[in-house]
Amino acid sequence: TERRSLDPYFAGRAGVAEDLRKIAILTRGRPILAARRREITRRVAALHGFYDRLIVFVADGRPGQQRARQQVFDGEALAAKFRQATSAMQRDIESFTQATRGEQRSTFDRALGALGIAGFLALAIAGTLFFNVPERLRLFYAAQEDARLQAEQGANSARALAHVSDAVLLVDEGG
């Protein structure tokens, strides 16, 4: 009969509304969990309606209080249905969580395998470069040195021929 004694009830209602809002966000995109949330929301609304009726009965005076006392045990059936709905949602959440963990483990294993293969390929490339690049550089510098020597010989021959007044015939190794 004291209105202030209902403050915890109304605070709890606000908390339930906030919890249902958060659950709605978390179950978005998951049809089974969203259906469970809707069922829980219906059960919560039924409980709120039941308790609101009891509050009104108590506020009506002695006859209403008597009626509220008689109906208080009727709320047990509503509470049982609510517990049933929350238990079903909890089972679905646990199932979803296990499936998600399995998917995460599979993704982790695939990523680890891909990184291992990429690392092996990187080592193979590095090894190939480590052994092939010095030989290629040696061949490149040798070819450059040969080209330089030929250029010097050609220049020397050209200088020598510039001072010769007789005819000169040049023959290579092939005749």
Side-chain angles (χ1 to χ4, degrees), residues 122-137:
L123 285 175
I125 290 169
T128 301
L129 291 175
F130 181 75
F131 290 111
N132 287 338
V133 167
E135 178 62 20
R136 286 184 177 242
L137 286 175

Side-chain angles (χ1 to χ4, degrees), residues 94-117:
E94 287 170 4
S95 174
F96 172 74
T97 302
Q98 286 177 346
T100 301
R101 283 186 183 138
E103 290 172 13
Q104 286 175 336
R105 182 64 184 176
S106 176
T107 301
F108 175 75
D109 290 344
R110 283 193 309 269
L112 202 56
L115 287 174
I117 291 170

Side-chain angles (χ1 to χ4, degrees), residues 152-164:
E152 281 180 12
Q153 286 175 354
N156 288 340
S157 298
R159 275 194 301 270
L161 289 175
H163 299 292
V164 173

Side-chain angles (χ1 to χ4, degrees), residues 5 9 18 21 23 25 37-38 44 49 51 71-72 76 78 96 98 101 112 116 131-133 144 151 153 155 163 175:
S5 68
Y9 169 71
E18 177 64 16
R21 186 189 66 75
I23 291 171
I25 292 169
R37 180 198 44 84
R38 286 190 298 273
V44 166
Y51 289 124
Q71 290 188 6
V72 82
E76 182 56 35
L78 292 172
F96 172 74
Q98 286 177 346
R101 283 186 183 138
L112 202 56
F131 290 111
N132 287 338
V133 167
Q144 289 292 325
Q153 286 175 354
H163 299 292

